[in-house]
Every structure is written in C-alpha cells, then in structure tokens.
Amino acid sequence: MENLISLVNKIQRACTALGDHGEASALPTLWDSLPAIAVVGGQSSGKSSVLESVVGKDFLPRGSGIVTRRPLVLQLHKIDEGGREYAEFLHLPRKRFTDFAVVRKEIQDETDRETGRTKQISSVPIHLSIYSPNVVNLTLIDLPGLTKVAVEGQPDSIVQDIENMVRSYIEKPNCIILAITPANQDLATSDAIKISREVDPTGERTFGVLTKIDLMDKGTDAVDMLEGRAYRLKYPWIGVVNRSQADINKNVDMIAARRREREYFSNTPEYKHLAHRMGSEHLAKMLSKHLEAVIKSKIPGIQSLISKTIAELEAELSRLGKPIAADDGGKLYSIMEICRSFDQIFKEHLDGVRPGGDKIYNVFDNQLPAALKRLQFDKQLSMENIRKRITEADGYQPHLIAPEQGYRHLIESSLTTIRGPAEAAVDAVHSLLKDLVHKAISETLDLKQYPGLRVEVGNAAVESLETMREESRKATLQLVDMESGYLTVDFFRKLPQDVDKGGNPTHSIFDRYNDSYLRRIGTNVLSYVNMVCASLRHSIPKSIVYCQVREAKRGLLDHFFTELGKIEPKRLSSLLNEDPAIMERRSALAKRLELYRSAQAEIDAVAWSK
C-alpha cells in the first residue's frame, strides 16, 4: 500500500487536467470520490506555517490580511533519498522549479492572474506538486482563511463567499478536515472548529491542530485541549510549534525548526508526556497513514463509480459516433454506411417498426373517403344544368331513346371534381413521407455528427419525394381520367328503358323533358358517379403506394448515391465536416475514458494485492 497515495495523487492530477473535478458540478466525479485533506482555519491561525512545516520548505506567500485567495491543492510525493527536490505546477506542465522562492512568486502571480491585484478571492484552485525525499505521500488542500469582517477593497460578501468556498470542500463525505486553531485564543471562538462541527458533528473526519502553543500567556497551557477535555474529537489533538517571524526573517531552515520543535515538547514539563504525538513531523506521518487507511476503505466505492462512469462514457461516445476516416475511399464508405442507416430507419417507420407509417393508412382509410363523401354534385346535377347539358348534346335532332351524349357530358363534368380529393391524397402522403424523412434524419445518430451531410441527405431525400409525388399525381389523375374516358356500359344496360319518355317530336324541345325525367337522369348519373368513387377509393391508394411509398422504400437515395460517386474529394470532405462542439466533446470524452480505464486498472491492481 506504499504507493496508494501516489496513485490517488496521479489520478487527481489527471482529473484536474481534464476538468473532471466536482467544484462546479452537482454530479459525483472521480475527483469527488478520492479522499483528500482540506486545511481549514481563520486568518493568521498559522495554516501556512503548518503546511510549510509538513513540506519542510518556505514556499507560501506571506503577509497580512487574506494571503491565500485561491485554493491550493498541494500534492506531496516522496522520492528516493538523494533525489533533488523540485516542484511542478499543473498550469505550467513540464516546467520544474527547484528554487522554492520562485514557487512562492508563481503562486502569487497565478493568484493575481485570476483575481487581479486586488483582495478578491477565486474558487479556481492552483495545483502544485512537490517531489522530495523529505516528505510523506500526502494531498493537502489549503483554503482561504475564514474571516469575520471585510477589509478595504473587498466586497461585503467576502466573509460569506469564503465560508461557502470552504464548506464546498469540507462537506464532501470523502474530505478529511484539518482544523487549525491557535492555542492562544479561546477554543469556543475557533472558526475552524465551528465550521467543522457543522459539517462533521461527530468529529469522524476532523483532525484538530493547535498552533502557537509557545505563544500562550505565562501560567497557561494547552494540555486540556491537547488531551481532548476542552473539545473532544475522534482523533487526538496535535500541537505544533511553528517558526516565529524572527526565525523567518533570519531564514532559519526547516530542519533546525523541526529540531527546536521536538526539543520544545520534550523539555516543557506540561507537554513532556505528550511529546511522542506532537510536532509537524508526527502530524505529517499521522495524516499520511490515515489517508492511506481511508483510501483503502474507499476502494470498493471508487471501483464502483469508475465502472459506472466508464459505461456512461462508452455509451455517450457511441452516440457521438466514430471519428471520420482520413482517405477518400474511407470517407465515401462512411457516407454510404450513414446513408444506409438513415434509409433503414426510414423504412422502419413505414413498416411499423417505428411510429409514423400508420398515418399514411389513415389518409387512405379516413381522409380520402371523407373527401370523396364531401363532394357536392348539386351544380352538375341541378335540373337546370341537366336540361342544358342534354339539350346541347341533342343538337338540332332530339334523342330517340336515351340522351346518351347528355349522360356522358354530365358524368364527365361530375367525375372531374374527383381530381381534387385525389390530388389532396397524393399531397397528404407526400407530406407524411417528408415528416418521416425528418424523423429518420433526427434518429440517425451519425447524421447529428455531420451537419453538412445531414443537410445534403435531407435535401436529396425530399427532392426524390418531389419527383415521386409528380409521378404519383400523374398516375392518380390518370385513374380519374380513365373513368371519364370510358364509361362502364353494364351499369347503363341494367337501367330500365322507357321509350315513350322521349316525348312527342311535334312539341317544343323543352316540353319533351319534364322534371320527373330529368330527375331520373340526375339520379342515374349520381349513382354512376358514386360507383366510380367507390372504385377510386380503392384504386387511388394503390396508385399512391406504388408511385410514392414503394418507390421511397426502394430507392429514396438512389439519385444521391449516383451523384456521390462524381463528387470531388474536397466536396466529399466537406460533407464530413463535423460540428466542432461534437469533435471537442468526443476528444474530451475519449481522454476522460482513457483516464478512468487507467485508474480502474491501477486501482484494481492495488485491490487485488491487498
């Protein structure tokens, strides 16, 4: 388990590089699931000095007021003895800092880049890794110091802003809280203890650290606090003695400071019995050991989250589609495959596998019959029009038995009105087919990947449907015209024949056609037209299906495929110009998936080695 914290540090750095951390997200991420230690304390509580004592280096900015204005994620990596100490910032990859005074300046400069040279704060963390043979493997997050009042140059909300930032870290169940409290202040007023108690009321995740023990008033000591009588936590309080400002000014190194700290606890009668668990060296070792234990206990949960996230990432990458091929042949093949996918989805809509095709049947079963039923023949079969048509058809010589030409003219003029419902049915099916094309395009995931191809396929499909509509319109109207061009003789042969109804030639021509006779002619014509409507009700759908639906299923993109082979390489590439947002999303997901798979393999290896 010696490399467990280093493994977590590595995963955390990778998470941060990919933006996979949960500061601004409500969703659990790998970063959130990894335990870390957050350092909490009021301003001037000694937080920075504690961190520098743990690291053994001067590297943090100092000054009055709010010095830490951005979270500092500090990852310590123990290297082999004799190795040279160095530091790296995540925002300056591959640049090593061996001068820790320069590290301090870079922390200050990077803070100013985000917040400006003001006293504002920012929740965007700075990530610093320190490699040294004199540290233990550990991850610490230094947070801005809690304050009670805003100073000049700060907004009134800064007190609450800092508290909210601190709380966003320490309220996470996997966060270990290092509460820094000065021993020379009343414990009841400790900012660190107050906020820690709110998020961790049982003290299960809180470690208490007392600073400035050597600065307490004479005659007082911190024994009650260190032994947990003043405020009990699950884990024992740890006292530290940091360098004084005079020591810092004299550049007293950390090795000498640690030696003096050990001597202080060993030689002070009040603390002699506690010396074995006091000091910054003990604090670092204890935190490292505890962090290892916590990480070990969290491995099953981390493994579960990683497995779930890998499945989600793979599913989303699948939805986004594969990257495009580089060569022209591969691009042409990709386009053909995408078009086949679209065509298959379109056919599934027509065949009932997907919804939508049933609306075409509704045109045939409801819309067309209703339109035929609504046809009005009052104008064509009015008494006046019947008399006019028959008289005109007879010419100078009246008919002898039946007014055949008059019948034909009346029937032809009546059947012409059927063209309207027939064309309407063609247009209705065309509209539904276009809707199915749009649905199929929206459901073809690969077309979402390539906006240019999506437009071309949509235009080609609609253009084909337009051609099919015109062919269907011609064929369907021909059915109506056929009925007008050749009447069904058997219908009229079955009608009763009254020779004397023709009238007496010695009378006026209009006297020969009484109203009763004309009404009978109108009834016969209407019966014939209704018979034709009943027949067309079945033949029009057959024509439409044959010319539109069947052709759409058979070769919706045939013309597009023919033209595709003639497209120049540059134009071919433009069809596969992917939405930049999707390209960026796929790249980010692929990197994140690689991170999670790598983390899964390494954590599984650790789990199996237990």
Side-chain angles (χ1 to χ4, degrees):
M1 301 297 290
E2 187 169 342
N3 294 322
L4 189 54
I5 295 178
S6 296
L7 170 61
V8 170
N9 284 350
K10 173 185 173 183
I11 295 172
Q12 285 175 326
R13 287 198 307 277
C15 286
T16 304
L18 294 180
D20 187 43
H21 47 80
E23 283 82 356
S25 171
L27 299 174
T29 64
L30 183 54
W31 173 275
D32 290 323
S33 71
L34 298 174
I37 301 172
V39 185
V40 181
Q43 287 184 26
S44 303
S45 61
K47 283 193 305 90
S48 297
S49 295
V50 170
L51 285 172
E52 289 185 332
S53 294
V54 169
V55 175
K57 288 289 179 182
D58 290 314
F59 68 99
L60 292 174
R62 293 182 177 275
S64 59
I66 300 178
V67 178
T68 305
R69 292 185 286 123
R70 290 176 61 182
L72 174 68
V73 180
L74 176 63
Q75 294 181 329
L76 306 181
H77 306 267
K78 186 174 182 61
I79 59 176
D80 294 337
E81 289 293 333
R84 188 177 184 184
E85 297 175 311
Y86 66 93
E88 289 182 340
F89 287 95
L90 189 64
H91 64 273
L92 295 172
R94 295 180 296 278
K95 182 176 181 180
R96 291 187 175 186
F97 293 78
T98 54
D99 185 344
F100 282 82
V102 179
V103 171
R104 180 190 300 112
K105 185 176 185 305
E106 179 58 31
I107 293 174
Q108 185 63 57
D109 291 345
E110 177 62 14
T111 299
D112 291 342
R113 290 184 197 111
E114 182 68 27
T115 64
R117 292 184 176 276
T118 65
K119 296 179 181 179
Q120 304 292 329
I121 63 168
S122 170
S123 61
V124 179
I126 298 173
H127 293 263
L128 172 64
S129 295
I130 294 178
Y131 299 80
S132 169
N134 302 317
V135 299
V136 294
N137 292 318
L138 198 57
T139 298
L140 298 165
I141 305 172
D142 185 22
L143 298 170
L146 296 161
T147 184
K148 291 181 171 62
V149 293
V151 299
E152 185 178 354
Q154 295 175 339
D156 294 337
S157 64
I158 196 165
V159 175
Q160 190 62 48
D161 291 342
I162 294 175
E163 183 176 328
N164 291 341
M165 185 195 304
V166 171
R167 194 182 300 275
S168 70
Y169 280 87
I170 65 175
E171 66 186 1
K172 295 172 184 175
N174 289 326
C175 179
I176 300 164
I177 305 168
L178 193 63
I180 309 296
T181 300
N184 59 353
Q185 293 180 8
D186 188 353
L187 194 61
T189 63
S190 168
D191 296 314
I193 292 300
K194 178 179 177 292
I195 196 169
S196 300
R197 183 186 297 170
E198 291 175 5
V199 299
D200 181 31
T202 61
E204 296 285 325
R205 300 187 285 116
T206 304
F207 284 83
V209 176
L210 281 179
T211 60
K212 305 184 180 182
I213 293 176
D214 55 324
L215 301 180
M216 295 181 71
D217 294 336
K218 289 186 178 182
T220 62
D221 59 59
V223 173
D224 283 349
M225 287 185 281
L226 292 174
E227 292 185 345
R229 289 192 291 272
Y231 182 76
R232 181 171 295 279
L233 296 170
K234 180 178 179 179
Y235 305 101
W237 284 78
I238 298 174
V240 296
V241 174
N242 299 321
R243 291 180 303 165
S244 65
Q245 189 60 48
D247 291 336
I248 296 171
N249 294 339
K250 294 177 182 178
N251 292 322
V252 174
D253 63 40
M254 287 298 179
I255 296 176
R258 285 178 176 178
R259 183 177 65 253
R260 287 168 54 177
E261 181 185 45
R262 287 194 300 269
E263 292 173 352
Y264 175 84
F265 285 111
S266 298
N267 298 331
T268 303
E270 291 85 356
Y271 306 123
K272 194 172 183 178
H273 66 293
L274 300 173
H276 64 286
R277 60 178 181 86
M278 295 291 119
S280 54
E281 286 183 287
H282 173 76
L283 174 64
K285 292 176 182 177
M286 182 273 301
L287 288 176
S288 180
K289 184 177 180 181
H290 180 74
L291 185 58
E292 280 190 352
V294 172
I295 293 172
K296 184 177 180 181
S297 70
K298 300 290 184 180
I299 282 180
I302 296 172
Q303 289 174 309
S304 176
L305 174 63
I306 289 176
S307 298
K308 180 182 177 182
T309 306
I310 286 175
E312 292 173 351
L313 291 172
E314 289 175 339
E316 186 169 356
L317 277 171
S318 176
R319 287 194 297 272
L320 290 178
K322 299 177 181 178
I324 60 174
D327 60 292
D328 292 340
K331 291 175 182 177
L332 183 61
Y333 177 80
S334 296
I335 292 173
M336 296 287 285
E337 285 297 300
I338 293 170
C339 290
R340 289 190 187 102
S341 297
F342 157 76
D343 196 48
Q344 181 60 35
I345 293 173
F346 176 73
K347 290 176 182 177
E348 288 176 359
H349 278 291
L350 289 175
D351 294 337
V353 178
R354 297 171 185 253
D358 56 307
K359 293 182 180 179
I360 294 176
Y361 175 72
N362 183 63
V363 172
F364 301 148
D365 195 50
N366 293 305
Q367 187 174 320
L368 176 62
L372 292 172
K373 190 175 182 179
R374 285 194 302 270
L375 287 175
Q376 298 293 326
F377 300 106
D378 296 346
K379 182 178 179 181
Q380 288 84 357
L381 300 181
S382 66
M383 296 294 289
E384 181 182 350
N385 192 56
I386 294 172
R387 180 180 286 108
K388 180 176 180 291
R389 289 284 186 176
I390 290 176
T391 301
E392 290 174 349
D394 280 349
Y396 73 93
Q397 185 173 331
H399 62 269
L400 298 176
I401 299 177
E404 180 178 326
Q405 290 303 317
Y407 265 109
R408 289 185 181 278
H409 289 172
L410 287 169
I411 290 171
E412 288 171 2
S413 64
S414 298
L415 290 180
T416 301
T417 62
I418 302 177
R419 293 171 66 95
E423 285 189 280
V426 170
D427 291 339
V429 171
H430 174 73
S431 178
L432 291 173
L433 289 173
K434 280 198 342 184
D435 288 344
L436 294 184
V437 163
H438 296 318
K439 278 187 178 181
I441 285 175
S442 67
E443 293 169 9
T444 305
L445 297 179
D446 288 335
L447 283 178
K448 293 181 180 179
Q449 192 173 337
Y450 309 111
L453 181 60
R454 181 170 67 242
V455 171
E456 289 291 331
V457 169
N459 291 341
V462 171
E463 187 177 332
S464 292
L465 291 179
E466 291 286 354
T467 302
M468 295 169 192
R469 173 167 67 171
E470 289 309 309
E471 291 300 319
S472 181
R473 189 194 307 279
K474 291 177 184 177
T476 302
L477 293 181
Q478 280 178 343
L479 288 176
V480 179
D481 294 341
M482 287 176 191
E483 294 291 347
S484 301
Y486 187 80
L487 306 183
T488 304
V489 180
D490 286 347
F491 176 86
F492 295 98
R493 286 175 178 170
K494 294 175 183 178
L495 293 176
Q497 302 296 319
D498 295 331
V499 176
D500 59 345
K501 289 289 184 183
N504 188 338
T506 61
H507 292 97
S508 165
I509 189 170
F510 292 105
D511 293 339
R512 296 202 298 269
Y513 306 124
N514 59 54
D515 288 350
S516 176
Y517 183 52
L518 295 176
R519 277 194 293 271
R520 183 169 182 180
I521 291 174
T523 301
N524 291 340
V525 170
L526 183 59
S527 296
Y528 184 82
V529 171
N530 286 336
M531 181 194 74
V532 172
C533 285
S535 174
L536 289 175
R537 175 182 173 180
H538 300 293
S539 58
I540 288 175
K542 292 178 181 179
S543 173
I544 292 174
V545 168
Y546 186 85
C547 295
Q548 289 175 267
V549 180
R550 173 180 169 275
E551 282 300 298
K553 284 183 66 176
R554 188 187 64 80
L556 183 64
L557 295 179
D558 279 0
H559 181 70
F560 178 71
F561 289 150
T562 301
E563 294 299 313
L564 196 61
K566 306 174 186 177
I567 294 179
E568 297 179 355
K570 187 176 180 180
R571 171 67 175 150
L572 193 68
S573 298
S574 70
L575 291 178
L576 295 177
N577 278 345
E578 196 171 14
D579 186 340
I582 293 180
M583 293 175 66
E584 291 175 11
R585 179 64 176 163
R586 184 192 298 109
S587 176
L589 288 173
K591 290 178 181 178
R592 191 175 174 196
L593 181 60
E594 183 181 1
L595 161 67
Y596 273 70
R597 283 174 174 165
S598 174
Q600 184 182 52
E602 296 190 54
I603 290 177
D604 285 349
V606 171
W608 282 105
S609 67
K610 291 192 294 182

